[in-house]
Amino acid sequence: MTLLTPDIANLFAALTLSHLGRRYPYKMDLVLGGPEDARPPEDHHPIFHGSFDWHSCVHGWWQVMRLMRLFPDMAQAGEIRARADAMLVPDKVAGELAYLHRPLSAGFERPYGWAWALALDAELARHDAPWAAAFAPLADAFAARFHAFLPKLTYPLRVGTHFNIAFALTLTLDWAQTRDPALVSLIRDKAIGWFGRDRGCQAWEPGGDEFLSPALCEALLMSRLLDRAAFADWFHAFLPDLAGGEPATLFTPASVSDRSDGKIAHLDGLNLSRSWCWRAIAAALGPDDAVATLARDAAQVHVAASLPHVAGDYMGEHWLATFALLALE
């Protein structure tokens, strides 16, 4: 299995630092309430106005902060700390909060950006610095949004793009475990209700512009909520033909026809996120499960297909290193 090395970490950090503060191009998630809202991205988002869009900037920050913690002597450590000291401060967090409090921002970045903001908060808390304390009000606001949103989400969002609820709840669960027991219980109740009886998944994927596997993201979330034996029982009923290599779609990396097309470039992210899911599922099943070896092999095949393409075109370059880090760590 390809693993994260200091050289790869330096490559990822340098790549992401090159666009964390890049102003343009930038895709706003903005509903105009009037002409006064037509302002530059940094006016709305004092912290997260780079990396092409808000959520990519958030998880770009998660990525560089995590890399700096894992490799404290990396070449970019000083630059990462300096940027964090300048950007992750109370007044800029207040500016991000002000955007959330706009009447037309209720659905802003739901649920993908919410979850990445919580993942970033969890990473900041692992550093001996004031960044997490400054960021806490924003994390609390997104946690509150999950508390309000999940009870009214009658049906799960199973798509392979930003709206996938299983992916968002996997990240959110990691944050909530030591911070918000009520949110953990809510996530467990909703996920078991949505997915607990799923059987014989056909895995008709990928869609043409997906970067997440609906099947594997669901399985990954369930692996975090069930003990080993219960998860194995559920998983083998959910995907009963894996030992025979079926559904073949889950073992076959996606082919990317045009990496300059921002949507088609999502498929490199699918390969990387599948690798992350397969590796985590193998660990959850344990070494004695016959499917675990197939899962580990699938993880390696998928990461090998897209790791060479993390850099090259900005449509992928502004976000793929985050998913490569998930796959390799």
Side-chain angles (χ1 to χ4, degrees):
M1 178 68 186
T2 305
L3 299 175
L4 184 65
T5 66
D7 286 344
I8 293 175
N10 279 317
L11 171 65
F12 287 175
L15 191 66
T16 301
L17 286 170
S18 74
H19 58 71
L20 271 183
R22 178 173 170 174
R23 294 177 66 198
Y24 299 109
Y26 190 82
K27 181 178 181 292
M28 286 288 294
D29 182 351
L30 171 66
V31 179
L32 293 168
E36 68 279 2
D37 288 337
R39 291 179 281 130
E42 62 266 31
D43 284 8
H44 293 288
H45 300 300
I47 302 173
F48 304 119
H49 54 262
S51 302
F52 189 73
D53 52 34
W54 192 90
H55 52 255
S56 297
C57 197
V58 171
H59 65 63
W61 273 102
W62 171 86
Q63 179 212 321
V64 297
M65 301 306 292
R66 194 170 189 88
L67 288 172
M68 181 177 67
R69 178 172 58 83
L70 295 173
F71 301 94
D73 297 324
M74 70 188 312
Q76 294 85 6
E79 182 178 354
I80 294 169
R81 287 192 190 93
R83 288 202 189 194
D85 286 341
M87 299 296 285
L88 302 177
V89 294
D91 65 317
K92 292 185 182 295
V93 170
E96 296 284 350
L97 272 172
Y99 189 84
L100 287 189
H101 292 153
R102 297 170 67 251
L104 295 174
S105 293
F108 172 72
E109 291 285 351
R110 186 177 79 189
Y112 183 77
W114 299 5
W116 272 119
L118 294 178
L120 173 57
D121 182 66
E123 180 57 41
L124 295 177
R126 297 183 173 100
H127 294 260
D128 183 15
W131 309 318
F135 197 78
L138 196 57
D140 290 344
F142 283 117
R145 290 190 171 207
F146 272 115
H147 276 287
F149 174 59
L150 290 178
K152 65 182 180 182
L153 186 62
T154 306
Y155 311 106
L157 297 159
R158 298 178 183 267
V159 297
T161 53
H162 304 85
F163 306 103
N164 183 283
I165 195 64
F167 176 84
L169 293 187
T170 296
L171 298 185
T172 302
L173 186 66
D174 289 344
W175 176 88
Q177 292 285 6
T178 58
R179 297 170 176 83
D180 193 335
L183 184 53
V184 172
S185 295
L186 178 57
I187 290 171
R188 177 175 287 107
D189 290 347
K190 295 298 291 189
I192 298 300
W194 290 328
F195 305 131
R197 296 183 181 181
D198 283 0
R199 300 291 186 269
C201 176
Q202 300 299 300
W204 286 320
E205 55 178 86
D209 66 354
E210 293 184 334
F211 64 95
L212 298 170
S213 164
L216 295 183
C217 283
E218 175 179 337
L220 178 60
L221 177 60
M222 293 296 280
S223 77
R224 304 291 176 88
L225 295 170
L226 302 174
D227 63 34
R228 175 165 288 177
F231 173 65
D233 288 345
W234 176 88
F235 184 69
H236 289 303
F238 178 59
L239 290 164
D241 301 317
L242 287 181
E246 296 293 338
T249 52
L250 292 182
F251 293 97
T252 307
S255 175
V256 186
S257 63
D258 183 358
R259 290 186 167 88
S260 68
D261 184 303
K263 292 291 189 179
I264 292 175
H266 276 177
L267 293 167
D268 274 320
L270 175 73
N271 290 335
L272 297 170
S273 66
R274 275 186 177 180
S275 179
W276 171 58
C277 289
W278 273 127
R279 183 169 49 80
I281 289 166
L285 291 172
D288 296 330
D289 193 291
V291 171
T293 298
L294 294 176
R296 286 190 294 270
D297 291 345
Q300 176 58 32
V301 169
H302 277 82
V303 76
S306 286
L307 186 60
H309 305 291
V310 168
D313 190 282
Y314 194 57
M315 286 298 96
E317 198 170 275
H318 75 272
W319 66 281
L320 282 172
T322 293
F323 282 80
L325 177 55
L326 288 175
L328 295 182
E329 189 183 341

